[in-house]
Amino acid sequence: MRIAIGEGSCGIAAGAKKLEEALIKSAEGKNIGIGITGCVGMCFLEPIVDIYEDKKLLKRLVKVKESDAERIVSAAEKGDFSSVSDLEIKEEDSEFLELQKRIALKNCGKINPESIEDYIAEGGYESLKKVLGIPPEKVIDEIKLSGLAGRGGAGFPTWLKWDLARKNKSENGRKYLICNADEGDPGAFMDRAIIESDPHSLIEGMLIAAYAIGAYEAFVYVRAEYPLAVKHLEKAIEQAKKSGFIGENIFGADFSCDIKIKTGAGAFVCGEETALIASLEGERGMPKLKPPFPAESGYKGAPSNINNVETFANVPRIIKMGGKAFSEIGTENSKGTKVFALTGKVKRSGLVEVPMGTTLREVIYKIGGGIKGEKKFKAVQLGGPSGGCIPENLLDTPIDYKELSKTGAIMGSGGMVVMDESACMVGMAKFFLDFTAEESCGKCVHCRIGTKRMQEILTAITEGKGKPEDIETLEELCDAVKEGALCGLGQTAPNPVLTTLRYFRNEYEEHVFEHRCAAKECSAMLSYVISAEKCRGCTLCAKKCPVSAISGEVKKTHIIDKNLCIRCGACSKVCPFGAVSIE
């Protein structure tokens, strides 16, 4: 019998490490193995404990506490799980995984990410061995047949990138392969989860790509904010080297390759490939004009190929299942599956992998279980700060590069943030503009100044200082920034503004012309009032007010001085009679 604790970042944050210690202690002297696994994707149920007999999953226990350790071990020892039935995953929550199709996430939450033996037992490194027996051109042909597009956001054909890098020559014969693991979108954690839970799939995918393009040196550019991912990747690289999968004459073939890790400082712009290369070379991460593209002149001026983690994680599976089989999943324009980080006001949040062509409604309502608190859906932000907000009437849009672009949003790397009726869409646009304006590298005028001007206008609108001409000015700025920005950060920065103006223009007009926020999120437009009928004069609100804006005698109606009120909401939270309302 074996017990595995989910120890991705989400599990550890929920207390999985302490739970592991408690389970190890409870299992002392018993014939029960205690180990770890990665994130299975059900972040809303962490900490998660899986009980196995050989490779068969017997029970999945969720929201487990340290205090449950002893009875879990006892149940596993006896083979009778009636004593832990209260911890078993509910049938409706099991649908979260059952409705998915996992290719990139195949091993996540299933194997020990720190064990190369576990990866090999699942067929790991067989695809690498297979491709080393065929010409590199044939490998590229197989990727072409699969229809795999880059999962970093742009959706550029993977095979074409590889083919260009292979055909281009450098003076010293060097070529480089780079993995972009600089995942910076707020609410996105797909790449992090893959590295934390299945690092060898990334390594194997990179080695296959390196062979295909003729590179003998590869880099993983990963965010320093991902310490667990870095730790697991370092260990996996060390294991792969000891096993002969990284290094000289891999599998006895005339192919050698080394993989190194470079940790980035967290600049969002370094997700852009030329800025990433600059950072990798020790320079400030700033984008460069293209052409030349990295496939022509990249790292150290040599032909270089860059793909993200999810793209590389798909490669070993494509080689194993065949490009044709992969291409039969998805749509005509978008092949295979896509991983999303489903977050926000949704009941079941976590990692989701679905076939291309699945609708947004299916992901949010079937897999995600719908909106928390049975509130009304309002919008879903797709593609991170460079994406757009999609309204309810477009929920049946299929997940497809072309179809999503028609809405004004983008696929992006896979962030999917769900908002309910309480969200202010003007405030949401401001939130993302705050992010992109701060993350702009400042190299080009359109992005450096344009995003700042948009941020200032949105701030004024949310503070009740909007002017009638602001909406038109915003639209003009959006068009100018999209047209003139140097890289993808600036070119897509206006998307949240454009889509909220397109689908929620009435909210902008309410803010500007009526100085009213219907969602009651823009505090500058709110007014707190105490009801004379409900107030009992208990003085709790006056005592809690941080600026002494509330006056009144004991057992008499209290009054809020609107000139002093800072709209913190403390009075509303503390009132036991519901006498404080927001207007």
Side-chain angles (χ1 to χ4, degrees):
M1 201 73 73
R2 176 171 62 90
I3 296 174
I5 307 103
E7 291 193 16
S9 288
C10 51
I12 292 171
K17 276 291 181 189
K18 291 182 179 179
L19 173 61
E20 181 193 1
E21 292 170 7
L23 285 166
I24 290 172
K25 187 176 180 180
S26 298
E28 284 178 1
K30 298 180 173 65
N31 189 28
I32 293 174
I34 307 294
I36 68 165
T37 185
C39 174
V40 75
M42 296 188 288
C43 306
F44 66 104
L45 294 176
E46 297 286 3
I48 296 173
V49 168
D50 288 337
I51 303 174
Y52 289 89
E53 187 166 31
D54 295 323
K55 285 190 175 184
K56 183 182 178 183
L57 177 62
L58 298 180
K59 291 292 174 183
R60 171 160 287 155
L61 311 179
V62 299
K63 295 184 178 180
V64 183
K65 300 182 181 68
E66 288 177 72
S67 55
D68 299 318
E70 195 169 325
R71 61 181 175 131
I72 290 171
V73 170
S74 177
E77 186 179 31
K78 295 174 183 175
D80 178 2
F81 300 101
S82 57
S83 61
V84 292
S85 59
D86 58 311
L87 300 175
E88 288 186 41
I89 187 170
K90 296 176 183 176
E91 188 176 340
E92 60 265 31
D93 288 335
S94 294
E95 291 177 357
F96 182 86
L97 287 180
E98 291 168 0
L99 295 171
Q100 297 183 40
K101 184 173 183 62
R102 295 198 151 200
I103 296 177
L105 301 180
K106 172 180 169 283
N107 292 331
C108 295
K110 185 177 179 181
I111 66 171
N112 182 342
E114 297 184 348
S115 168
I116 192 172
E117 292 79 16
D118 274 18
Y119 183 70
I120 291 171
E122 294 295 325
Y125 292 106
E126 288 178 4
S127 294
L128 175 61
K129 185 177 182 180
K130 180 179 178 181
V131 301
L132 293 182
I134 60 177
E137 294 83 3
K138 293 290 184 183
V139 180
I140 295 174
D141 287 342
E142 198 67 29
I143 299 301
K144 182 178 181 178
L145 181 62
S146 75
L148 177 67
R151 297 301 195 241
F156 194 80
T158 302
W159 78 270
L160 186 53
K161 263 192 171 184
W162 291 14
D163 196 48
L164 290 169
R166 174 158 190 82
K167 288 176 178 176
N168 284 310
K169 308 296 180 185
S170 65
E171 291 182 5
N172 60 5
R174 302 295 290 177
K175 294 181 183 180
Y176 297 95
L177 184 84
I178 302 166
C179 172
N180 182 352
D182 191 55
E183 184 176 52
D185 291 3
F189 50 91
M190 301 75 58
D191 289 352
R192 186 201 77 202
I194 291 172
I195 300 175
E196 287 180 356
S197 305
D198 190 17
H200 286 284
S201 67
L202 169 59
I203 292 169
E204 185 175 12
M206 289 180 68
L207 290 168
I208 291 169
Y211 173 71
I213 72 168
Y216 297 96
E217 193 169 359
F219 298 92
V220 181
Y221 186 94
V222 61
R223 299 178 73 79
E225 296 94 331
Y226 286 176
L228 184 62
V230 172
K231 175 190 170 187
H232 284 181
L233 188 58
E234 286 176 338
K235 188 165 187 175
I237 289 173
E238 183 184 342
Q239 291 173 339
K241 284 180 177 178
K242 286 181 179 178
S243 300
F245 302 135
I246 295 176
E248 301 292 323
N249 302 113
I250 300 168
F251 281 114
D254 185 23
F255 171 64
S256 304
C257 188
D258 189 25
I259 297 178
K260 298 174 183 176
I261 299 172
K262 163 71 175 178
T263 53
F268 182 65
V269 73
C270 286
E272 196 278 335
E273 54 187 15
T274 60
L276 186 156
I277 289 171
S279 178
L280 197 60
E281 292 174 335
E283 299 176 8
R284 183 178 177 185
M286 300 179 80
K288 298 176 182 177
L289 280 170
K290 294 182 285 190
F293 292 93
E296 302 167 79
S297 177
Y299 181 65
K300 293 184 178 180
S304 305
N305 180 82
I306 303 177
N307 289 115
N308 82 325
V309 176
E310 185 185 342
T311 308
F312 285 126
N314 272 295
V315 170
R317 279 88 202 225
I318 289 172
I319 298 299
K320 189 170 185 177
M321 69 192 296
K324 186 175 185 298
F326 186 86
S327 70
E328 290 170 353
I329 303 166
T331 67
E332 185 180 348
N333 298 316
S334 304
K335 305 296 185 182
T337 59
K338 181 71 189 80
V339 180
F340 290 95
L342 183 62
T343 60
K345 303 293 185 177
V346 67
K347 291 179 181 176
R348 299 195 286 253
S349 60
L351 276 179
V352 173
E353 185 175 3
V354 293
M356 295 283 197
T358 305
T359 65
L360 294 170
R361 188 183 302 278
E362 289 175 287
V363 173
I364 293 167
Y365 281 92
K366 287 188 177 179
I367 296 175
I371 310 303
K372 283 181 181 178
E374 305 306 327
K375 289 189 175 182
K376 188 179 178 183
F377 171 91
K378 189 167 191 178
V380 57
Q381 170 75 10
L382 209 64
S386 302
C389 297
I390 299 175
E392 186 174 22
N393 65 308
L394 294 177
L395 272 182
D396 291 312
T397 301
I399 293 168
D400 174 285
Y401 286 101
K402 287 187 177 180
E403 293 301 315
L404 287 176
S405 67
K406 290 177 185 177
T407 69
I410 59 173
M411 182 86 72
S413 57
M416 191 181 286
V417 184
V418 179
M419 290 164 270
D420 65 19
E421 57 192 321
S422 67
C424 169
M425 302 314 294
V426 185
M428 186 58 60
K430 177 185 174 297
F431 170 80
F432 285 110
L433 254 296
D434 287 344
F435 180 85
T436 48
E438 185 176 323
E439 292 293 332
S440 172
C441 74
K443 185 173 184 177
C444 66
V445 174
H446 287 80
C447 183
R448 182 179 73 246
I449 298 177
T451 55
K452 189 66 178 174
R453 294 293 86 84
M454 286 192 285
Q455 180 194 31
E456 289 169 354
I457 292 172
L458 288 167
T459 299
I461 292 174
T462 55
E463 290 179 352
K465 301 172 185 175
K467 300 187 291 289
E469 63 269 24
D470 281 348
I471 296 175
E472 186 178 340
T473 304
L474 269 177
E475 290 175 320
E476 291 174 358
L477 279 168
C478 285
D479 291 339
V481 174
K482 281 183 82 75
E483 295 263 340
L486 177 63
C487 80
L489 187 153
Q491 291 162 7
T492 57
N495 284 346
V497 182
L498 287 170
T499 52
T500 50
L501 278 168
R502 180 176 174 181
Y503 301 119
F504 303 96
R505 195 180 191 90
N506 63 307
E507 293 196 25
Y508 281 85
E509 291 171 347
E510 285 173 356
H511 281 67
V512 171
F513 298 109
E514 301 174 31
H515 298 291
R516 181 173 67 90
C517 176
K520 297 181 178 179
E521 275 201 347
C522 298
S523 59
M525 296 184 187
L526 304 182
S527 179
Y528 285 82
V529 179
I530 296 176
S531 167
E533 294 179 359
K534 294 182 179 179
C535 181
R536 297 291 181 269
C538 68
T539 74
L540 281 176
C541 59
K543 291 175 182 176
K544 194 70 175 176
C545 180
V547 292
S548 302
I550 302 174
S551 60
E553 297 178 20
V554 178
K555 296 186 179 180
K556 290 187 179 181
T557 302
H558 282 48
I559 299 170
I560 299 175
D561 186 335
K562 293 183 181 180
N563 293 320
L564 294 176
C565 178
I566 60 172
R567 303 169 185 85
C568 65
C571 54
S572 176
K573 293 174 184 175
V574 77
C575 180
F577 308 107
V580 183
S581 60
I582 306 171
E583 295 181 352

